[in-house]
Amino acid sequence: MQSEASVLEQNTLVKELPRIDIIGSRVTAASFDVLNEVILDWAKQRLSKCICVANTHMLVEAHRRPSFGEIVQQADVVTPDGMPLVWMLRILGAKNQDRVAGLDLLQDLCCKAEKEKVSVYFLGSMDLILQKMRTRLQVEYPDLVIADMEPLPFRPLTAEEDDALIQRVNASGAGLVMIALGCPKQECWMAAHKDQINAVMIGLGGAFPVYAGIHRRASGWVRHMGMEWFYRLIQEPKRLWKRYASSIPVFIYLAIKQLCYRFASLAFK
């Protein structure tokens, strides 16, 4: 039986982590600690990588839109943010899989980046949120090198603006670029900038306002039960009810269908 350190060493060398299909998208099956160590190793080398932090909404969007599905498939890591994805991974073979949520990634990577002197670029969201994040980051990680914090306009950037942004990010020396544009915009942005941005890009969407204190995070037992979506819905009903109504039932149907096919095929072997 290989130790976790041995697995990490091998995965870091081959730059590939095991993935398991969930309703058509390949989700990375590895522990929180292993994933963070691999991401930090890439960041030290300033490799251009894309990290998708996936929940049921993202996988349903990938199922519905083949072009977006291809973006998710091509990502270097797809973490299981939502508990339904964690449960599916456990059923499908990754028995000790834990949750790899966006906010936890943000905090743990900032902690490790502070120690390893890896600078972090925060991109997207709004000035107010970024300012509040900076204040908290300076308290919790006083030696963290913040390369820059930059909001982006809601409109698409012009070619000239985009080229200038790429130059700013690369010139900053950042090894990590944490992006908050919302799904699927941030995933599309990362895919479009693969091999242009010399850093590990991580789409963290809703983690920014939670870390900034604009929104509250559900307590641990609520998250463990897979009910964080309901907690978020209570906080932002106008923005989220249509998304959840159109994605959660679809995910449940597709997940049950996948499991039925799997167990039926196993039964007839």
Side-chain angles (χ1 to χ4, degrees), residues 99-110:
R99 187 182 180 194
V100 186
L103 183 61
D104 298 327
L105 274 177
L106 187 156
Q107 293 177 286
D108 196 72
L109 285 173
C110 283

Side-chain angles (χ1 to χ4, degrees), residues 79-98:
T79 82
D81 184 342
M83 283 305 297
L85 274 61
V86 173
W87 295 329
M88 284 289 288
L89 287 174
R90 291 174 182 171
I91 293 170
L92 295 170
K95 299 190 181 301
N96 297 316
Q97 182 65 47
D98 44 26

Side-chain angles (χ1 to χ4, degrees), residues 46 118-122 145-150 165-177 197-199:
R46 297 193 65 203
V118 174
S119 61
V120 186
Y121 204 112
F122 295 87
V145 180
I146 299 176
D148 204 350
M149 288 185 148
E150 182 176 351
L165 174 60
I166 293 169
Q167 291 179 26
R168 288 196 300 276
V169 174
N170 289 338
S172 75
L176 290 166
V177 179
I197 297 288
N198 300 324

Side-chain angles (χ1 to χ4, degrees), residues 191-259:
H193 290 81
K194 180 75 179 287
D195 298 325
Q196 297 183 60
I197 297 288
N198 300 324
V200 180
M201 297 172 281
I202 310 175
L204 291 174
F208 278 30
V210 176
Y211 187 77
I214 304 296
H215 297 149
R216 294 182 61 186
R217 192 181 193 187
S219 59
W221 70 270
V222 174
R223 300 198 303 269
H224 185 71
M225 290 178 63
M227 293 298 292
E228 189 169 14
W229 66 271
F230 185 69
Y231 187 87
R232 292 187 61 199
L233 178 63
I234 293 171
Q235 293 186 81
E236 300 181 87
K238 290 183 179 180
R239 187 177 76 87
L240 295 176
W241 80 267
K242 285 185 179 179
R243 175 192 293 185
Y244 289 159
S246 64
S247 63
I248 292 176
V250 175
F251 178 84
I252 292 172
Y253 167 75
L254 292 172
I256 292 173
K257 182 179 178 182
Q258 178 181 349
L259 293 176

